[in-house]
Amino acid sequence: KGYLQTYLVHLRQHRRLRRGLGLTRMLHFHFLFGATCFVLLLNPVYWVLTALWLTLQPTAISGFFPLWLLLLALVSFLGGNAVFVFTTILGCLPRRRYELLPWCLLLPLYWVLISIGAWKGLLQLINAPFYWEKTPHRGGEMPESTP
């Protein structure tokens, strides 16, 4: 919800955003906030289409997914997730956090969870735009920052 809200607020004055950031940084902003939201919201649609194609192979969907495109998408899907898992493993090794290595294999499920969160955020933004879920924290007050 925060990414969506931030993106929509900045889009209200797009020319001001471009003047303030410049072209390159503005494009980075669109890719970080806009594309992230868009992809997370679109992921379930792609999963359903892929599941339908793989299980039923309906002719209506086959027209959109010729074999060469399916193979390219499959390589991209498997390769992208492998790189995602591999880079996370590489983050654990220098820190000697070997106990986290098995959890790295579950990272593809992360995409499912953040897509669910994106849809929840979108629906909250539409139905309850001023409601904000706070993360509960244990303990007392926040520690003071040291200069």
Side-chain angles (χ1 to χ4, degrees), residues 19-130:
R19 276 194 312 267
L21 295 179
L23 180 62
T24 303
R25 290 177 62 206
M26 183 197 65
L27 291 174
H28 290 171
F29 171 79
H30 284 299
F31 283 122
L32 178 64
F33 288 94
T36 298
C37 295
F38 182 72
V39 167
L40 292 176
L41 292 170
L42 213 53
N43 266 344
V45 175
Y46 289 136
W47 297 330
V48 168
L49 287 174
T50 303
L52 283 174
W53 193 91
L54 290 173
T55 56
L56 306 175
Q57 291 193 356
T59 55
I61 294 176
S62 295
F64 292 107
F65 297 109
L67 183 60
W68 68 268
L69 185 59
L70 176 66
L71 294 176
L72 185 62
L74 184 63
V75 168
S76 176
F77 172 72
L78 295 175
N81 276 293
V83 168
F84 186 55
V85 170
F86 182 68
T87 56
T88 307
I89 289 172
L90 287 179
C92 294
L93 293 177
R95 293 167 181 84
R96 300 176 193 249
R97 298 295 307 265
Y98 305 119
E99 72 279 6
L100 297 177
L101 293 177
W103 294 104
C104 294
L105 300 176
L106 296 176
L107 281 174
L109 295 176
Y110 174 74
W111 291 106
V112 174
L113 296 175
I114 61 175
S115 285
I116 291 169
W119 274 100
K120 182 179 179 183
L122 176 66
L123 295 174
Q124 277 185 3
L125 192 60
I126 293 167
N127 296 321
F130 300 106

